[in-house]
Amino acid sequence: MKKIMIIDDDQDIQKLMTIFLELEGHKIFTPKDFSDVPKLIDDEQPHILILDVNLQGYNGIEILEDIRKNENYNDVKVILTSGLDYSYRIEDFSNSDFILKPYMPDELIRKINKIN
């Protein structure tokens, strides 16, 4: 069982991913406030972070950059997600992958298994 944090401002997507990933046996955490993701990581200690690029008031790529600047978070795997293809943006980040929305649940599971 992996602890997965979902950072997405679309509550419908959060709910669907939560249900699906819990059925797969994972423990899910879905914060409502994205102002301090590093603190959330400190508090929750997730194995995997599913991070949307386009968050209302926040930029997922900038959040990923902040996470990767701190060596304490090197072990946290990040799956960046967006409706636009930002796959080229993760090439410089270790332990990171990208999935293009919309995606099928089995595609997300493959990404989670691959990045593990």
Side-chain angles (χ1 to χ4, degrees):
M1 172 180 70
K2 298 292 179 194
K3 186 169 189 181
I4 300 174
M5 183 183 302
I6 301 170
I7 306 272
D8 196 310
D9 56 359
D10 184 324
Q11 290 191 359
D12 292 333
I13 289 174
Q14 272 190 357
K15 287 177 189 173
L16 288 171
M17 283 197 299
T18 297
I19 291 168
F20 181 74
L21 293 172
E22 284 177 342
L23 287 172
E24 290 290 313
H26 300 291
K27 184 174 180 181
I28 308 301
F29 177 67
T30 56
K32 304 297 181 226
D33 180 11
F34 314 127
S35 61
D36 194 354
V37 173
K39 180 168 179 2
L40 292 171
I41 291 171
D42 283 340
D43 292 347
E44 296 299 323
Q45 300 292 309
H47 299 101
I48 299 171
L49 175 64
I50 300 174
L51 176 61
D52 189 25
V53 171
N54 299 306
L55 299 165
Q56 191 170 16
Y58 302 96
N59 180 308
I61 294 171
E62 291 174 1
I63 292 171
L64 177 58
E65 289 171 347
D66 288 344
I67 291 168
R68 291 301 179 231
K69 286 178 187 174
N70 187 329
E71 63 185 42
N72 293 333
Y73 309 130
N74 285 345
D75 291 338
V76 177
K77 294 8 177 218
V78 177
I79 299 174
L80 202 62
T81 182
S82 177
L84 300 172
D85 188 356
Y86 286 100
S87 57
Y88 67 95
R89 294 298 303 264
I90 62 153
E91 293 172 358
D92 296 331
F93 300 108
S94 62
N95 288 331
S96 302
D97 205 341
F98 178 81
I99 189 168
L100 184 65
K101 289 180 179 180
Y103 51 84
M104 296 301 292
D106 60 329
E107 185 179 0
L108 179 61
I109 292 300
R110 279 193 302 273
K111 292 284 185 179
I112 288 171
N113 292 335
K114 176 184 166 192
I115 202 167
N116 242 343

